[in-house]
Amino acid sequence: MTIISLFADLFALLTILICLLHCCGANYEVQSVAGSGNVLSAKLKLVGGTEEFRPDVKRLNLTATLETDNRLYMRITDADRSRWEVPRDVIPRPAPAPEDVWLHSSGLSNASLPGNSTMSSASSDLTFTIHTAPFRFTVSRRSTGDVLFDTSATLIFKNRYLEVTSALPAMGASLYGLGEQTKRKFRLQQNDTFTIWNEDVGRADILDINLYSSHPFYMDVRPGGAAHGVLLLNTNGMDIKYGGSYITYKVIGGVFDFYFFAGRSPLTVVDQYTQLIGRPAPMPYWSFGFHQSRYGYKNVADLEGVVAGYTKAKIPLESIWSDIDYMDGGQDFTLDPVNFPANLLRPFVDLLHNNSQKYVVIIDPAIEKEAAPPQNESVGLFLQRNGTNYVGRVWPGEVYYPDFMSPHAAEYWAQKISEFRRTIPADGLWCDMNEPSNFKDWEPLNEYDDSPYRINNTGIHRNLNNKTVPVSAVHFNGVSEYDAHNLYGLLESRATHDALLKDTARRPFVLSRATFVSSGRYTAHWTGDNDGRWEQLAQSINTILNFGLFGIPMMGADICGFTGNTTEELCSRWIQLGAFYPFARAHAEKTTARRELYVWESTAQSARKALGMRYRLLPYIYTLMYEAHTTGSPIARPLFFSYPQDADTYAVDRQFLLGRGLLVSPVLEPGATTVDAYFPAGRWFSLHGRSPAISLQTGKRVMLPAPADSANVHLAGGNILPLQQPGLTTSAARQSEFHLLVALAENGTASGELFLDDGESPEMGGVGGNWTLVRFSCNTEDRKGIITTTVSSHVVQNSYAPSRTLVISKVAFMGLPSSPKGFTVDVNGAELKAARTKSRTNGVFTVSGLSLVIGQQFEIKVVTSH
């Protein structure tokens, strides 16, 4: 036995002992094991047990299935009774292996069981092992032997309490994900506890408590950059404790439905994860513009004044949003007859559309009781309790809650949306309060209203019914709210997305506060009710990066803060960061001082610069949306996604990447004149052109100047960015000429791509669709001091008509040797003698006067002599 293996065995033993201290004592023994192909099953029998949290389930079935080469599914459930599981019509996925696997396989009884039974495949890197003495299971990486998940010998499975613990390498695992919570750090910290339960609570209230969304998924990055993912697909409330050397799940219902994703790169993990839960929905092009909202816009004239203020200040504005102010008494699908009458609001919206701008309104998942269909006509429409429609209370007063599990409710919702849009043709819908929120006190009805184990709801173990509908309420087909609570926001998002698609035949835009696993298929998300404080500015990065892992790349925070009176400096710094959120919206609470970006001149200056750059980057950002829709990759990414072998990137959470190589290093503290930024190895070029390239052999922290009006943005060598000219709307910007920015790596190479379509067709990049995809590449050859740098394009598809007329007028190179003795430029084999060129000391070399059609392949050669 080697020293290393001895320490490994001691560590495993120590971890099991630690886990036993955290568990409350039930054990199962393996009665029999059976295997067939990529399926391994076991029957488990209770030995011991405890009455804490009610009696244990006596017999369990375990089934592990290698569903793909990169995805392993492991299910443990009651052998004798069916239990609540996430419906497959909500999250489509393969069904569990049939019980008759036992009839078509060689089973082993307890008397003849080996010490362990293993399932593996030559084409997969995942191995699943059932250990019999005592029972536990492990998931490991076949190529390296690295153990990814290793349960303790204690498994608890009761009617409404489940517990399992996995050991983790004490010094070798960096975990990310689990949420939604406001966290100080992106990487999980030892003794972090995550409560999974959708709750209406302001993000500004406190750190480390459960918020609007539930995502029991994490990514584990090991030394060297190998990553894997783990999902517990369960909608019931739970506490997840990360102890550094272990992770414990305490769940109040359902089953253990674990999915393991092999990776090995972080991007590959997200790809595999979204293959299961569904790819992110494509967002319309206009949604990548800047949006302005406020709870408290008084009337139509107030909206008109805001739009005029942005126009006068020459700050881009894509859409104006209305909070509940537009409603009559807070009722969905109504208009305030005094302040937002149809005869004033409709012409305003029509004028927005004539100016290529948009209008978005809020809707809450509550129908005012008196406006709802009568009880005898509303069967299947609303949540039930004690045999009748449950009556809650939110903004309009007494309300019914649509039961989005019911197809009748989805149809009713679509009808109401369509009817409203006949009056006011809103371009997008904002689903708020959909945890769902409830202001009404409740009386206990049955056992569901008091769970035997209280999860740490809102950080103080509040009852599950806090500020929501009672968990004893009942959905379609008798499903309890206790089980389905965390699905409500997802189901409303799906119904709203489908309603908009049906009504407009265009790509929907939906923004939802409450989300669950797979919500990204239908909706964008934002961080909710944040506060105008510096720490919330910094913490927004963690949340946005987290939701990229969760398959919801269209993510942002309320720029300048929702509550509290922000300062001019904070608002300026926030738009410098927020302009690079995937979803960029300013939103504020009605009692706060007005903070539109034109209110302070210094903020307006920051907004013009930051949003000007955002609008130039729109072709790149939209191409990232295509990448997200087809591979699940986040738009905003942590640095380790591109540099997984650089362990120093694992803790970086005050910077982030857009795509693979655009590094944003914002100011996150008051009075700062510098930013301490981390740069991985390679070349980095400032997009503001205010400093020479940073060239590093290894990663290093660099102190950057922090001008008052802009954030630091750097492009990694090896990338080609497609750019257009800024405009006050996305429509104006996307009609302008293209530029290519070529940032050369040390070896003189670079690559990039450009996706184009009409920005509103329901599908993005689908078979037979009208879209164009162009890939750009650059190579450099040095022959005795004659350096030839060649940029070429490869047209993958060219069915989007405007790509046959849109042109690239300029190509800028960053990283060419400076001060050449001479140069020539060839375009498609012909020397371009009339090109306007210039070389700067920081190595930028520009070729202008071009007219290269996007949809036609081209080649540019820059030949320099030195």
Side-chain angles (χ1 to χ4, degrees), residues 157-395:
F157 203 108
K158 300 171 183 284
N159 183 34
R160 288 194 288 144
Y161 182 76
L162 287 65
E163 182 175 330
V164 68
T165 295
S166 170
L168 293 168
M171 302 298 292
S174 292
L175 269 62
Y176 308 87
L178 303 176
E180 177 182 8
Q181 295 191 1
T182 299
K183 305 296 290 186
R184 290 184 178 88
K185 299 291 183 181
F186 176 46
R187 182 166 62 177
L188 273 57
Q189 303 298 298
Q190 185 170 336
N191 296 322
D192 272 350
T193 297
F194 296 83
T195 296
I196 305 296
W197 184 256
N198 291 1
E199 180 77 6
D200 175 9
V201 57
R203 179 173 296 275
D205 290 349
I206 194 170
L207 287 169
D208 304 325
I209 64 171
N210 52 302
L211 296 172
Y212 317 104
S213 300
S214 292
H215 293 273
F217 168 80
Y218 71 82
M219 179 184 294
D220 183 343
V221 182
R222 301 288 172 89
H228 66 274
V230 178
L231 167 68
L232 174 56
L233 186 57
N234 183 305
T235 60
N236 290 90
M238 67 182 80
D239 287 333
I240 304 175
K241 174 67 177 294
Y242 171 62
S245 61
Y246 66 91
I247 186 167
T248 296
Y249 297 84
K250 299 181 178 183
V251 193
I252 61 173
V255 302
F256 284 127
D257 267 349
F258 276 105
Y259 289 86
F260 302 92
F261 306 91
R264 299 180 54 174
S265 73
L267 272 176
T268 306
V269 172
V270 178
D271 183 8
Q272 294 160 2
Y273 180 52
T274 56
Q275 283 179 28
L276 173 70
I277 67 169
R279 299 298 197 193
M283 294 291 154
Y285 200 98
W286 64 265
S287 67
F288 290 96
F290 173 74
H291 310 272
Q292 178 64 55
S293 178
R294 179 178 175 85
Y295 175 26
Y297 285 141
K298 300 180 181 65
N299 47 39
V300 174
D302 204 354
L303 297 179
E304 292 171 336
V306 172
V307 174
Y310 273 94
T311 302
K312 181 179 179 181
K314 293 183 171 54
I315 299 172
L317 178 66
E318 190 68 18
S319 71
I320 188 80
W321 294 42
S322 283
D323 208 307
I324 61 173
D325 314 282
Y326 79 93
M327 299 177 180
D328 184 8
Q331 298 179 56
D332 278 348
F333 311 117
T334 65
L335 297 176
D336 181 328
V338 175
N339 297 308
F340 293 88
N343 66 325
L344 295 180
L345 185 58
R346 178 60 185 260
F348 168 71
V349 174
D350 290 342
L351 182 60
L352 286 176
H353 291 163
N354 289 339
N355 292 335
S356 299
Q357 293 171 305
K358 307 296 182 182
Y359 184 56
V360 180
V361 298
I362 198 171
I363 52 174
D364 294 332
I367 300 298
E368 201 268 331
K369 181 180 175 183
E370 299 304 318
Q375 180 87 19
N376 61 350
E377 297 178 13
S378 62
V379 176
L381 291 186
F382 302 111
L383 289 182
Q384 302 281 298
R385 191 173 191 244
N386 206 18
T388 188
N389 291 344
Y390 170 72
V391 180
R393 180 177 295 276
V394 283
W395 305 119

Side-chain angles (χ1 to χ4, degrees), residues 486-756:
N486 287 335
L487 285 177
Y488 196 87
L490 163 62
L491 294 170
E492 189 204 12
S493 299
R494 181 177 71 174
T496 306
H497 174 278
D498 292 352
L500 279 175
L501 179 60
K502 180 180 179 181
D503 196 56
T504 67
R506 295 194 299 270
R507 193 178 303 171
F509 176 76
V510 178
L511 179 70
S512 177
R513 189 169 77 173
T515 66
F516 185 68
V517 174
S518 87
S519 282
R521 296 171 60 197
Y522 311 107
T523 185
H525 180 59
W526 88 108
T527 64
D529 294 349
N530 64 355
D531 192 54
R533 303 197 310 264
W534 286 93
E535 57 266 33
Q536 297 254 308
L537 168 68
Q539 291 157 3
S540 70
I541 298 175
N542 299 334
T543 307
I544 288 168
L545 295 179
N546 248 358
F547 275 83
L549 303 185
F550 299 154
I552 307 179
M554 192 62 163
M555 179 68 189
D558 288 343
I559 294 170
C560 299
F562 176 67
T563 59
N565 285 320
T566 189
T567 66
E568 181 175 356
E569 181 190 9
L570 174 57
C571 199
S572 297
R573 291 304 191 187
W574 211 317
I575 186 57
Q576 292 167 23
L577 167 61
F580 299 97
Y581 292 159
F583 170 61
R585 183 189 72 160
H587 179 51
E589 196 267 335
K590 64 180 180 180
T591 64
T592 62
R594 295 294 282 258
R595 60 188 66 175
E596 289 81 10
L597 299 182
Y598 53 77
V599 170
W600 293 299
E601 179 50 39
S602 67
T603 304
Q605 174 63 17
S606 293
R608 283 187 287 268
K609 292 193 72 169
L611 292 174
M613 182 173 287
R614 179 186 181 89
Y615 277 56
R616 288 203 72 199
L617 289 166
L618 282 173
Y620 174 67
I621 296 172
Y622 191 66
T623 300
L624 294 177
M625 178 72 257
Y626 166 73
E627 188 179 341
H629 178 55
T630 53
T631 70
S633 59
I635 295 173
R637 306 174 189 176
L639 273 66
F640 68 79
F641 265 55
S642 290
Y643 302 91
Q645 294 180 327
D646 182 352
D648 288 336
T649 65
Y650 296 178
V652 175
D653 55 14
R654 295 170 69 86
Q655 302 164 263
F656 62 94
L657 295 168
L658 279 183
R660 69 180 186 184
L662 195 64
L663 179 63
V664 181
S665 306
V667 170
L668 302 175
E669 296 172 345
T673 57
T674 58
V675 173
D676 183 15
Y678 183 79
F679 287 85
R683 283 172 153 184
W684 295 90
F685 303 92
S686 171
L687 285 199
H688 293 291
R690 56 180 170 231
S691 60
I694 297 169
S695 185
L696 302 170
Q697 295 302 310
T698 59
K700 182 181 177 182
R701 303 204 73 86
V702 177
M703 194 65 69
L704 301 172
D709 63 353
S710 58
N712 281 280
V713 184
H714 289 79
L715 179 61
N719 288 275
I720 299 177
L721 290 189
L723 306 170
Q724 282 182 284
Q725 307 316 299
L728 296 183
T729 64
T730 61
S731 176
R734 74 184 314 220
Q735 295 174 37
S736 64
E737 61 190 21
F738 281 84
H739 294 173
L740 287 185
L741 184 57
V742 182
L744 299 177
E746 290 285 357
N747 62 2
T749 63
S751 62
E753 63 181 28
L754 171 65
F755 177 87
L756 293 171

Side-chain angles (χ1 to χ4, degrees), residues 785-787 817-825 837 845 862-866:
I786 305 298
I787 299 175
S818 59
S819 304
K821 294 179 181 177
F823 64 86
T824 59
V825 178
T837 60
F845 185 92
V862 177
V863 182
T864 58
S865 57
H866 297 268

